[in-house]
Amino acid sequence: MKRKKLSLYLGKFSGIEIYIHWTFLILIAWIFLLHAEMGHDWRAGLWGVVFILALFACVVLHEFSHALTAQRYGIRTRDITLYPIGGIASLESMPEKPGQELLVALAGPAMNVVIAAILWIYLRATGKMPELGILKNAKHLQDLPFGFNLMLANIALAVFNLIPAFPMDGGRVLRAALSFRMDRIKATRIAAGIGQILAMVFVFFGFFYNFWLVFIGLFIYLGAGSEAAFETTKSVLAGFKVRDVLMRRFTPLSPGDNIEKAVQILLDGQEHDFLVTANEEVKGVLTRKELIHGLASLGQSTPIFRIMRTDFTILTPEMNLQEVYMKMLANDATVCPVLENGRLVGMVDKDNISELILVQQAMHSND
Ligand SMILES: [Zn+2]
């Protein structure tokens, strides 16, 4: 199994791996030092660290809520990774049906509402709910019950995530709601636009009232832009199959060919990614990147089998192009062989998919 780099593996639940990114440890250290700097004793520092850990346990539950809801619609989640800014569940795709997407997006914030409700019941039942007078006089968060702080934090998480702008769950909720009335690409574009307007309002008010709003606004603005681009890319490919971008004409190389031959084909024509075959069977793939690297480090007489990639993904013409593209991005693959009934019929190149995306976007830009 391939483990993620720079992340600490925590464990696995329901087939989904959980990781903590190393930068998260900086956050823990920072909180401890912050307390020390303010002259608090080590217990206050520990309180802060335990609180953050409890809060991030809630974030994990939030992400699992998304992932397990998606699982009900047959969508797998590769992993959940915790970053200092929050958690990210890498869903392999989002459901096409707006109703399902709505539920997957709402599942996360709904989990925080449930946690807050449980804490509220607990605080009331144990008589630990602070009264208004105590709330007003509390100088530090630590003066208030731990559970009460956690309840407030979960309410904040639910509200923050429901901001209708794209990196947030609220952006997906908005897009899903719009998708009931229009096609997905248009809904994505409108949702992204609303998110960016909202972000500018945040930045504007942030300058006058609270500087944190400026940061949140910038975060949303940049996120809405890149997420919208990514979402548009994904939605453009919906409905296409591998056969729509299948290249039937290509020059196969054999493992014994040397780098010089591949370089010659590269310079002669349009081809820059190659399939390496022997006896009609694919043995590997060779991209321009490996070719140039091999040429520089090993020389032009080196046989191709020494530099080709053997971790390629085999496709079939009927496969969903959107899923294939996501998988190619995730595996950093630029070329895949396509087999039909076990026979090699062609290949798919990432550049071809990118061209299809550009053409489709141009055709939809006047909707
Ligand atoms: Zn979420």
Side-chain angles (χ1 to χ4, degrees):
M1 191 188 310
K2 204 170 115 188
R3 289 271 151 89
K4 281 182 86 158
K5 275 180 258 171
L6 301 175
S7 297
L8 185 71
Y9 177 65
L10 275 194
K12 203 171 178 179
F13 180 79
S14 191
I16 302 163
E17 298 176 347
I18 311 167
Y19 293 91
I20 288 187
H21 196 256
W22 71 272
T23 49
F24 189 80
L25 300 175
I26 294 179
L27 178 75
I28 300 289
W30 180 69
I31 286 164
F32 201 82
L33 289 173
L34 204 66
H35 282 280
E37 205 181 46
M38 289 192 293
H40 299 158
D41 65 6
W42 64 271
R43 262 168 295 172
L46 195 65
W47 188 97
V49 170
V50 171
F51 182 74
I52 284 295
L53 291 179
L55 183 61
F56 271 82
C58 296
V59 171
V60 171
L61 290 173
H62 170 115
E63 298 303 331
F64 260 105
S65 189
H66 285 304
L68 295 181
T69 311
Q71 214 169 56
R72 289 180 47 190
Y73 304 122
I75 292 163
R76 294 197 307 141
T77 301
R78 263 175 292 130
D79 57 70
I80 289 174
T81 306
L82 286 182
Y83 296 90
I85 51 155
I88 291 177
S90 320
L91 270 60
E92 287 202 324
S93 62
M94 276 304 264
E96 290 289 307
K97 292 192 185 123
Q100 295 182 354
E101 183 178 31
L102 194 66
L103 288 179
V104 171
L106 281 175
M111 175 58 86
N112 296 111
V113 172
V114 168
I115 295 170
I118 290 171
L119 287 167
W120 186 81
I121 292 168
Y122 163 78
L123 289 165
R124 290 303 293 259
T126 54
K128 282 181 180 164
M129 185 70 92
E131 307 204 350
L132 216 58
I134 299 174
L135 280 182
K136 277 183 183 159
N137 291 325
K139 284 200 187 77
H140 304 294
L141 286 172
Q142 289 101 306
D143 299 341
L144 299 169
F146 191 87
F148 182 75
N149 275 299
L150 202 57
M151 182 182 82
L152 290 188
N154 271 282
I155 294 171
L157 274 178
V159 171
F160 183 68
N161 275 292
L162 284 174
I163 294 172
F166 251 124
M168 260 53 92
D169 297 328
R172 292 180 198 289
V173 172
L174 176 62
R175 195 258 302 272
L178 290 169
S179 302
F180 282 111
R181 309 186 132 260
M182 59 188 79
D183 76 62
R184 230 173 121 86
I185 301 175
K186 202 171 171 190
T188 304
R189 201 180 301 137
I190 293 175
I194 291 175
Q196 289 191 318
I197 291 170
L198 206 64
M200 286 189 272
V201 172
F202 271 46
V203 171
F204 181 77
F205 281 101
F207 278 120
F208 294 104
Y209 298 106
N210 187 336
F211 207 69
W212 271 109
L213 282 177
V214 176
F215 284 107
I216 294 173
L218 287 176
F219 172 70
I220 293 175
Y221 191 86
L222 297 174
S226 65
E227 183 84 6
F230 186 62
E231 286 295 324
T232 316
T233 304
K234 279 205 293 186
S235 29
V236 157
L237 292 178
F240 283 98
K241 294 207 154 93
V242 163
R243 76 161 66 253
D244 297 317
V245 290
L246 176 64
M247 287 192 287
R248 290 181 184 276
R249 276 197 301 168
F250 60 95
T251 316
L253 296 169
S254 62
D257 287 340
N258 55 24
I259 291 182
E260 189 184 5
K261 183 176 173 187
V263 169
Q264 209 42 253
I265 302 172
L266 179 78
L267 295 177
D268 281 350
Q270 304 290 325
E271 294 177 88
H272 44 72
D273 296 322
F274 305 92
L275 297 182
V276 184
T277 60
N279 307 323
E280 312 247 313
E281 202 182 309
V282 184
K283 298 289 182 195
V285 297
L286 183 66
T287 68
R288 182 165 44 189
K289 198 172 108 192
E290 282 112 33
L291 188 55
I292 299 299
H293 185 254
L295 180 67
S297 57
L298 300 167
Q300 56 181 359
S301 56
T302 309
I304 278 170
F305 71 83
R306 285 188 57 191
I307 59 164
M308 68 189 188
R309 269 180 78 160
T310 50
D311 59 337
F312 54 89
T313 310
I314 293 172
L315 308 177
T316 60
E318 294 310 313
M319 280 170 117
N320 175 327
L321 192 59
Q322 192 186 41
E323 284 168 25
V324 165
Y325 187 62
M326 292 302 127
K327 210 170 271 177
M328 285 175 83
L329 286 181
N331 298 341
D332 190 27
T334 44
V335 58
C336 297
V338 181
L339 269 66
E340 192 167 29
N341 304 323
R343 205 173 59 83
L344 180 66
V345 289
M347 64 188 224
V348 164
D349 190 305
K350 211 167 81 186
D351 287 357
N352 280 65
I353 305 181
S354 303
E355 275 161 19
L356 176 72
I357 291 166
L358 287 176
V359 169
Q360 286 297 314
Q361 276 173 337
M363 282 164 64
H364 282 87
S365 66
N366 303 318
D367 285 359

